[in-house]
Amino acid sequence: DALKGRPDSNQDQQDGEGSFLSNPLVQDVGLLLLFPLQHLLMSSWLVRRLLSALRLDIVERSLYVASTGLVLQVAIDNWKAVGESDPFWDFPVRTNPFLWLVFT
């Protein structure tokens, strides 16, 4: 966090400062909730009706996939480590040849 110019949020929590929403675990849960909320919104009758009214129903699936990618990118970019753990998508591919084969 210090490299990105942001104060270390874990330090705020240790000092007892900061709000409930500044807790990294709460922020990560919020980011995880974006995914099902986006799916719920995109599958709602209101969005389908709006797309149909705008004659965009032919690209509905493409918009669905693009918005899913956007939500996942937001989650990855804003994920905060809780404690000393690494993000769950950080695989040591440079030091493990098997993981390199699997994930690259």
Side-chain angles (χ1 to χ4, degrees):
D1 282 347
L3 294 177
K4 294 181 181 179
R6 295 184 295 207
D8 188 82
S9 58
N10 289 338
Q11 185 66 33
D12 289 344
Q13 293 301 314
Q14 291 172 357
D15 294 341
E17 298 175 10
S19 69
F20 175 74
L21 295 177
S22 68
N23 185 330
L25 182 60
V26 173
Q27 291 176 1
D28 291 346
V29 169
L31 290 169
L32 288 176
L33 288 176
L34 284 177
F35 189 76
L37 289 175
Q38 176 266 334
H39 280 71
L40 183 67
L41 178 71
M42 290 298 292
S43 65
S44 71
W45 66 271
L46 182 63
V47 170
R48 289 179 187 224
R49 194 171 189 191
L50 178 66
L51 290 175
S52 182
L54 296 172
R55 301 205 189 279
L56 292 174
D57 49 346
I58 195 161
V59 294
E60 178 182 357
R61 186 69 182 159
S62 297
L63 291 173
Y64 187 85
V65 170
S67 63
T68 299
L70 179 66
V71 165
L72 289 174
Q73 189 64 47
V74 166
I76 289 170
D77 287 344
N78 294 299
W79 193 266
K80 300 205 176 177
V82 177
E84 297 297 320
S85 66
D86 290 327
F88 62 85
W89 56 80
D90 188 17
F91 298 103
V93 294
R94 292 188 176 147
T95 58
N96 189 326
F98 176 72
L99 290 177
W100 182 84
L101 281 173
V102 171
F103 293 108
T104 59

